Amino acid sequence: MASQTLTRIKFIFKYPYTKLISIRFKTTSAEYVASRARDPTFDKLMKNYNNYLKVVSVQDLLLADTTNNSSISLHFLSKLSQKLHLNHGASSFLRKYPHIFNLFYNHSKSEPFYKLTDKALQISREEAAAIEASKPIVIERLVRILSMSVSKSLPLRAVFKVWRELGLPDGFEELIISQNPKLFSLSDAPNEPNTHIIKLESINPNFITAVENWREDECNKKDSKVDESQIRFAFKQGYPPGMKLGKVFRGKVKEWQTLSYVGPYDQMGEKRKPKAGVKALEKRAVGIVHEFLSLTVEKMIEVEKISHFRKWFGIDLNIRDLFLDHPGIFYLSTKGKTHTVFLREAFERGCLIEPNPVYIARRKLLDLVIMSRRGLFLTQSDTRNIRAREEVELTGDDDD
């Protein structure tokens, strides 16, 4: 039985475009995920990013607090350790990132507190300023995502899931939706209590997708020998290092690249059932998620989050399998508790090729997370911080 499973996995890996539907029911999703070609650059980035997300959760608690000069007691944070996935306790987590958090002893309350360092506080202000400055871009992102929906509408809860990924401001329901009534409307969903629907009121039929811009750039390059007809329906491809690209595999990809499909912003006609129609529907799904990822701040998203849009985008395929079927376009990382998909072409050596202001601010915080305890210089300020930490340790902390 084990040898049969291994054979199926090898077959899928070698011929990912051959009889996918007939193979899937024989192979579990977990086996298919395990059989994918790994990319250490993305996996390493995701490992650091998981720690970054924990830091952001703790940081958000501080930024939301206005009662104690943006500081919170260690005892309070310790109560939230399990919810925030601080596996080794709150105190241990804070000490791991001295460039971000400053532990100190609050003599008036006789207990340890923590706050953001000046450097981390400055980065949070830069991100807030970048989000505020990018409101016109964010509005267009929301319009584009609604435009990809079959009904030009989406449940508010689905957008809430990805508000950070889209660079939406906190409280975007009031700041973006309510302030643009000519573009958006908000209503209750029929037959669904406590469900609100965002609807697009003004449709732009002239949106150009990210992949269309890439095709145009390829044709307009100096000394380019690319024929526009050759890449009219193609997507940029780039594979994990060490992935074997056999002759059959390359042939299937070449055939798929020339297959016509309905774009993400184009009206979808009647779904076709013949084999060519099924492939075209799959390629349309690739086009939709490719465009969705290109609209995110960091060109990455949790698979579970984007799955909330599947029905609304008219995608009848398994989203996770779609990413695995196209390793030259997407990379699926399983580092951490969730699966995350990256848009391969947007990255080079773990960084965005074309960074935006919000990404730049977030990347600065990620760099501090990666530094962890490294790079501490014993200036007068740093010495005071170290003494404060020692004072906290002397008072005792049973969470470490």
Side-chain angles (χ1 to χ4, degrees):
M1 183 67 181
S3 61
Q4 290 178 348
T5 301
L6 183 59
T7 301
R8 291 168 188 160
I9 293 174
K10 288 181 177 179
F11 186 84
I12 292 172
F13 185 73
K14 190 173 182 181
Y15 308 112
Y17 296 93
T18 305
K19 298 181 181 179
L20 287 173
I21 297 174
S22 62
I23 292 173
R24 285 288 161 71
F25 75 92
K26 297 179 181 179
T27 308
T28 67
S29 181
E31 290 171 338
Y32 193 37
V33 170
S35 70
R36 79 195 190 286
R38 308 297 174 91
D39 193 319
T41 300
F42 283 111
D43 284 339
K44 184 177 181 181
L45 172 60
M46 196 62 233
K47 181 179 179 182
N48 291 323
Y49 197 80
N50 285 329
N51 293 328
Y52 164 83
L53 291 176
K54 294 179 184 180
V55 166
V56 169
S57 297
V58 176
Q59 175 185 264
D60 287 348
L61 289 174
L62 285 168
L63 296 176
D65 180 76
T66 57
T67 58
N68 294 302
N69 297 319
S70 296
S71 63
I72 293 178
S73 72
L74 186 60
H75 178 68
F76 177 80
L77 183 61
S78 297
K79 290 181 178 180
L80 299 175
S81 291
Q82 188 173 0
K83 184 178 180 180
L84 298 176
H85 306 293
L86 309 183
N87 301 329
H88 299 290
S91 178
S92 177
F93 179 81
L94 295 174
R95 290 192 184 96
K96 187 178 179 181
Y97 303 108
H99 294 285
I100 303 172
F101 302 112
N102 181 18
L103 268 169
F104 66 97
Y105 191 77
N106 188 321
H107 290 278
S108 63
K109 300 197 174 182
S110 302
E111 62 175 321
F113 270 63
Y114 78 98
K115 62 181 181 180
L116 289 176
T117 63
D118 292 341
K119 189 182 297 184
L121 190 59
Q122 177 60 30
I123 291 173
S124 72
R125 288 169 179 163
E126 289 178 14
E127 181 183 351
I131 291 174
E132 177 65 25
S134 63
K135 271 188 179 180
I137 298 173
V138 166
I139 291 172
E140 183 178 323
R141 282 181 190 151
L142 190 55
V143 169
R144 282 175 173 266
I145 286 176
L146 285 163
S147 297
M148 289 191 287
S149 167
V150 175
S151 61
K152 312 305 176 191
S153 61
L154 291 168
L156 183 62
R157 63 173 179 268
V159 180
F160 267 121
K161 290 274 186 182
V162 296
W163 72 275
R164 180 178 171 80
E165 286 80 356
L166 296 178
L168 290 166
D170 191 13
F172 71 88
E173 185 178 354
E174 291 294 329
L175 296 175
I176 301 295
I177 298 174
S178 297
Q179 290 187 15
N180 294 277
K182 292 183 179 180
L183 291 175
F184 313 111
S185 64
L186 200 59
S187 60
D188 294 331
N191 305 320
E192 289 189 56
N194 302 320
T195 300
H196 303 291
I197 300 294
I198 307 174
K199 187 173 181 178
L200 186 63
E201 294 296 326
S202 178
I203 298 173
N204 185 346
N206 300 316
F207 278 139
I208 298 174
T209 64
V211 71
E212 286 173 322
N213 285 328
W214 168 76
R215 292 166 191 158
E216 184 177 351
D217 291 342
E218 286 295 299
C219 293
N220 293 336
K221 280 182 179 178
K222 187 177 180 180
D223 300 327
S224 175
K225 296 181 180 179
V226 177
D227 187 347
E228 184 180 355
S229 62
Q230 293 177 329
I231 61 170
R232 184 182 175 188
F233 302 109
F235 286 76
K236 187 175 182 179
Q237 303 280 340
Y239 297 93
M243 180 176 176
K244 295 180 181 179
L245 305 177
K247 184 177 180 180
V248 174
F249 177 84
R250 291 197 301 268
K252 291 290 182 182
V253 172
K254 186 176 180 180
E255 179 186 349
W256 185 86
Q257 289 279 59
T258 60
L259 181 67
S260 63
Y261 68 103
V262 179
Y265 301 118
D266 298 329
Q267 192 67 31
M268 187 66 186
E270 185 179 352
K271 294 183 181 180
R272 294 165 288 176
K273 293 300 180 182
K275 187 176 181 181
V278 172
K279 287 184 177 180
L281 288 174
E282 182 209 16
K283 193 163 185 177
R284 172 177 165 82
V286 169
I288 290 173
V289 293
H290 181 282
E291 182 69 1
F292 192 104
L293 281 167
S294 73
L295 293 172
T296 62
V297 171
E298 294 154 298
K299 316 307 176 193
M300 56 185 282
I301 195 170
E302 290 179 18
V303 175
E304 182 270 334
K305 289 183 178 181
I306 197 172
S307 294
H308 286 274
F309 296 85
R310 188 175 66 88
K311 181 184 74 173
W312 296 85
F313 288 159
I315 298 176
D316 294 332
L317 305 168
N318 183 299
I319 289 284
R320 183 180 287 102
D321 288 348
L322 190 71
F323 298 140
L324 293 171
D325 290 344
H326 299 277
I329 303 173
F330 311 109
Y331 181 71
L332 183 71
S333 176
T334 58
K335 291 292 181 181
K337 296 181 180 297
T338 60
H339 291 182
T340 302
V341 62
F342 294 84
L343 184 60
R344 294 192 63 89
E345 67 196 61
F347 290 85
E348 185 175 9
R349 296 183 179 181
C351 297
L352 282 191
I353 297 173
E354 297 179 0
N356 55 75
V358 178
Y359 167 82
I360 290 171
R362 292 177 181 176
R363 181 72 201 199
K364 287 180 180 178
L365 185 61
L366 176 60
D367 289 340
L368 293 184
V369 171
I370 295 172
M371 284 178 68
S372 187
R373 297 176 186 269
R374 298 190 298 274
L376 284 176
F377 299 98
L378 294 180
T379 62
Q380 185 176 0
S381 175
D382 292 325
T383 303
R384 286 198 298 268
N385 288 343
I386 291 173
R387 287 175 179 170
R389 292 190 195 97
E390 291 175 346
E391 188 175 7
V392 170
E393 290 172 1
L394 289 173
T395 59
D397 177 14
D398 57 5
D399 290 304
D400 186 14

